[in-house]
Amino acid sequence: MRGFLLNRLSQSLILLLIVSVIGFLVLNLLPGGPLAQFGLDPGMTQDDLERLKEQLGLNRPLLVQYFDWAWRLLQGDWGHSFRDGAPVLVVIGRHVPATLLLMGTSTAIAIAIGTWIGIRGATHRYSLFDHMATIGAMVALSIPTFWFGLVGIYIFSLQLGWLPAGNMYTIGDGSILNYLHHLILPSIVLSLVHVAIWSRYMRTATLDAISQDFVKTARAKGLSERRVIMKHVVGNALLPMITLAGVQLPSILTGALVTETVFTWPGMGRLFLDSLGYSDYPVVMGLLMFSAILVILGNLIADIAVAIVDPRIRLG
């Protein structure tokens, strides 16, 4: 088990290094570079830009800048925002809870509904429910998340007036119910695509488990169909779903970026777009690294969970 963990951890560190190098190079090679926003100021002269570049250390070779940034990152110094001078970790920390709340809620919805649809579709194969679930999954996977968001706002906010059109809460009302009221629509929109993915994977995994010999043996012993499904089929079908949960984390983060923009949700996705617009590269790099760490941790935890549940994985 220790060798398995060390192997996964080393792979994760290498991947994090690659992400940091690519992200740093892309941001610094963009037209205008990190000082693009300052160049838009009509009162900023070329001498001012050169002086600012020297103060920020941007006149050094790119390789030197990267190693300096990476060393400070390892020491806990993620830099300071160009926009207001606040530490990058403080800026990100203000928006992390909103994103985690949205992602956690939508993931819980997707897992619960997608698992139920997948199991029912497999146990009622080729039924009307199975066909409708397949069509619904194809539709959800074919239409962009922002379209669902705009349609949801039009129907449930503008036409029916049931749900808020955006923001995380109503100013002056910080109650839990108010937060939940604002959370309903964006979390459902973000979960739609993942419900479709989970239901398809769960259906396939359940069908594979049903065809195994141990299920036939359980039925031959006279166990009820419900007990066979719940005790023998579902437990085995959920094993690949653990891995899927880790793999789906990047797409959830990407969907959160779009959803937060549509619903003006004050999370990391919204901060990322705002920081790009202001050319606030320290915050952009901080968000990129923070998101990469979240994704790597998610996959690492999923690998460990699978290895614990199925010893064959860590022996392979």
Side-chain angles (χ1 to χ4, degrees), residues 38-59:
F38 296 98
L40 298 177
D41 186 352
M44 185 72 68
T45 65
Q46 186 62 35
D47 290 338
D48 293 332
L49 287 175
E50 292 297 329
R51 187 162 50 252
L52 187 60
K53 184 182 294 185
E54 183 176 355
Q55 291 175 357
L56 296 174
L58 300 176
N59 58 342

Side-chain angles (χ1 to χ4, degrees), residues 57-298:
L58 300 176
N59 58 342
R60 298 173 298 171
L62 196 57
L63 187 62
V64 176
Q65 292 183 46
Y66 171 78
F67 280 111
D68 179 60
W69 169 82
W71 176 245
R72 287 188 288 107
L73 186 76
L74 292 174
Q75 294 178 315
D77 180 9
W78 290 41
H80 290 76
S81 169
F82 287 164
R83 194 171 175 184
D84 57 9
V88 170
L89 281 177
V90 173
V91 176
I92 295 176
R94 296 172 188 159
H95 297 79
V96 168
T99 295
L100 293 182
L101 176 62
L102 180 60
M103 286 177 54
T105 305
S106 63
T107 302
I109 293 173
I111 291 175
I113 298 178
T115 299
W116 176 78
I117 292 175
I119 294 173
R120 182 170 177 80
T123 54
H124 297 75
R125 195 177 183 184
Y126 303 134
S127 64
L128 177 62
F129 178 88
D130 190 28
H131 287 302
M132 293 301 294
T134 301
I135 294 173
M138 294 303 103
V139 171
L141 291 170
S142 302
I143 298 178
T145 303
F146 74 85
W147 188 87
F148 284 119
L150 295 176
V151 170
I153 291 173
Y154 177 76
I155 295 176
F156 297 104
S157 299
L158 300 181
Q159 295 298 316
L160 300 176
W162 292 353
L163 299 170
N167 296 318
M168 190 174 176
Y169 59 91
T170 302
I171 297 177
D173 185 356
S175 64
I176 295 178
L177 288 177
N178 186 257
Y179 275 92
L180 292 176
H181 194 212
H182 284 76
L183 180 62
I184 293 173
L185 194 53
S187 60
I188 290 176
V189 168
L190 181 57
S191 67
L192 284 176
V193 172
H194 303 288
V195 167
I197 295 173
W198 268 85
S199 64
R200 294 295 88 195
Y201 273 94
M202 192 63 195
R203 180 182 183 274
T204 302
T206 303
L207 287 174
D208 181 64
I210 288 176
S211 64
Q212 298 299 316
D213 292 336
F214 62 84
V215 174
K216 298 175 182 178
T217 303
R219 285 172 174 164
K221 289 181 178 179
L223 296 179
S224 65
E225 187 65 17
R226 178 180 177 83
R227 188 174 181 185
V228 169
I229 296 298
M230 297 306 297
K231 185 176 181 180
H232 297 280
V233 174
V234 174
N236 286 275
L238 284 175
L239 183 59
M241 298 298 102
I242 299 175
T243 303
L244 179 64
V247 174
Q248 284 295 302
L249 190 55
S251 60
I252 295 175
L253 276 171
T254 305
L257 188 151
V258 176
T259 306
E260 288 176 2
T261 303
V262 172
F263 290 96
T264 59
W265 189 266
M268 292 193 299
R270 182 70 185 276
L271 175 64
F272 183 80
L273 290 179
D274 289 344
S275 299
L276 276 178
Y278 281 93
S279 298
D280 196 349
Y281 286 3
V283 175
V284 173
M285 272 305 299
L287 286 168
L288 178 64
M289 294 305 297
F290 191 83
S291 301
I293 291 172
L294 280 182
V295 171
I296 289 172
L297 280 178

